[in-house]
Amino acid sequence: MESTRVESEAAIVVSDAVYTPEGAPAPVLDRLHVSIRTGEHVAMIGRSGCGKTTALSLIAGLLSADSGTVRVLGHTVAAERVRSCALMPQGDSLLPWLSLIDNVAMPLRNRGVAKAEAREQVRPLVEQWGLDSVARRRPHELSGGMRQRAALLRALAADKPVLLADEPLGALDAITRADGQAWLRERLRDRETTLVLVTHDVDEALLLADRVVVLAGRPANVTYESRGWFGDRRSRTELLADVELAAARTGLLTALAAQGAMRR
């Protein structure tokens, strides 16, 4: 009864999902089960190639499961899942003929907002991330980190109820990445956005999520869970020095190490 009640309140439910890539001899995901509450932030971590991006694509409606159910805001049809989600894939996917600010404003333009108004609406985001001085430059004139930040801002500008982010800070240097984590914590704090974050950075997962799950195995499933610290309002520096967070980090790293040992 409790499981049924929790799933009825969930924004995302992946139930017994199996997915086999075309031409592959075996599934990548086998009976995957994940339930995410409305407004909850869940981070998925795991070794490269374990199926994290595949799971994200199933939720986004870009892939369809061989069997099982994937439901987003009550929708199981892929096209409805796509409309419910803002997706930031690996790589920036910026349109090369548009300026940075026009790339960020693209979700608004797709909804019929005039170009000048769309620019004005996203300009505060661009300024807050320190990109105002390059707002009129095209992607080939930007550094990799700038393009990554612009892609993340574009996903946020879409203002969808579900945000799916695949390594959103992965191309940033360590200092900018730390700033990005702090910025995201602040910007997402008062939103009702449901977040699914894929990352290889354990600290990032703990800081940006309410819950962290480890995806492991061949085929993959959830093998370990930990609480996250997104709801804790202390600074990033204070949180990373927290004894309980350090213990959670150790537990996650141990689970990832066990995953690696199973693959050898």
Side-chain angles (χ1 to χ4, degrees):
M1 181 67 70
E2 178 65 18
S3 176
T4 302
R5 187 186 70 80
V6 170
E7 292 195 357
S8 70
E9 299 172 351
I12 299 170
V13 178
V14 180
S15 181
D16 293 331
V18 178
Y19 178 76
T20 307
E22 186 175 353
V28 173
L29 302 173
D30 184 27
R31 299 180 66 80
L32 176 67
H33 187 90
V34 180
S35 182
I36 301 172
R37 300 186 309 277
T38 299
E40 186 181 20
H41 293 186
V42 171
M44 289 193 292
I45 63 174
R47 291 178 176 265
S48 297
C50 74
K52 302 183 301 297
T53 297
T54 299
L56 212 62
S57 297
L58 282 175
I59 295 169
L62 302 180
L63 297 174
S64 296
D66 305 339
S67 61
T69 303
V70 181
R71 182 179 293 108
V72 178
L73 302 180
H75 302 298
T76 57
V77 176
E80 293 296 331
R81 302 204 306 271
V82 169
R83 280 191 279 271
S84 300
C85 301
L87 174 65
M88 183 185 168
Q90 288 185 17
D92 55 70
S93 303
L94 298 180
L95 299 177
W97 58 88
L98 292 181
S99 66
L100 182 150
I101 195 166
D102 286 336
N103 266 289
V104 174
M106 183 53 61
L108 282 72
R109 299 284 287 131
N110 289 341
R111 296 202 295 267
V113 179
K115 180 185 289 188
E117 183 181 347
R119 285 176 174 172
E120 286 308 305
Q121 286 189 34
V122 302
R123 195 176 302 280
L125 282 175
V126 172
E127 292 173 351
Q128 288 163 4
W129 202 291
L131 295 171
D132 47 315
S133 64
V134 295
R136 295 301 183 118
R137 295 185 187 177
R138 294 187 178 180
H140 73 276
E141 301 175 292
L142 304 171
S143 69
M146 290 175 180
R147 292 196 299 270
Q148 192 88 356
R149 281 180 279 171
L152 177 56
L153 292 180
R154 181 179 58 188
L156 291 173
D159 200 27
K160 297 288 185 73
V162 176
L163 175 60
L164 308 175
D166 195 349
E167 291 284 355
L169 306 175
L172 306 181
D173 62 81
I175 295 174
T176 307
R177 186 165 188 158
D179 290 342
Q181 291 166 2
W183 187 90
L184 264 181
R185 280 174 58 82
E186 186 64 28
R187 295 298 171 270
L188 293 174
R189 194 179 305 282
D190 297 322
R191 292 182 176 220
E192 290 298 319
T193 306
T194 302
L195 171 69
V196 184
L197 168 72
V198 165
T199 180
H200 287 94
D201 188 316
V202 172
D203 285 343
E204 185 168 283
L206 290 167
L207 290 170
L208 295 179
D210 302 300
R211 183 160 50 102
V212 183
V213 300
V214 175
L215 214 59
R218 286 183 179 271
N221 211 321
V222 175
T223 61
Y224 185 86
E225 288 196 15
S226 169
R227 63 161 288 200
W229 270 257
F230 174 74
D232 193 313
R233 289 183 174 269
R234 285 177 292 171
S235 71
R236 181 181 184 276
T237 301
E238 289 176 301
L239 287 172
L240 292 179
D242 185 276
V243 174
E244 290 186 14
L245 187 144
R249 180 196 297 123
T250 299
L252 290 165
L253 290 172
T254 300
L256 289 170
Q259 177 187 349
M262 287 189 293
R263 293 177 59 175
R264 287 196 290 271

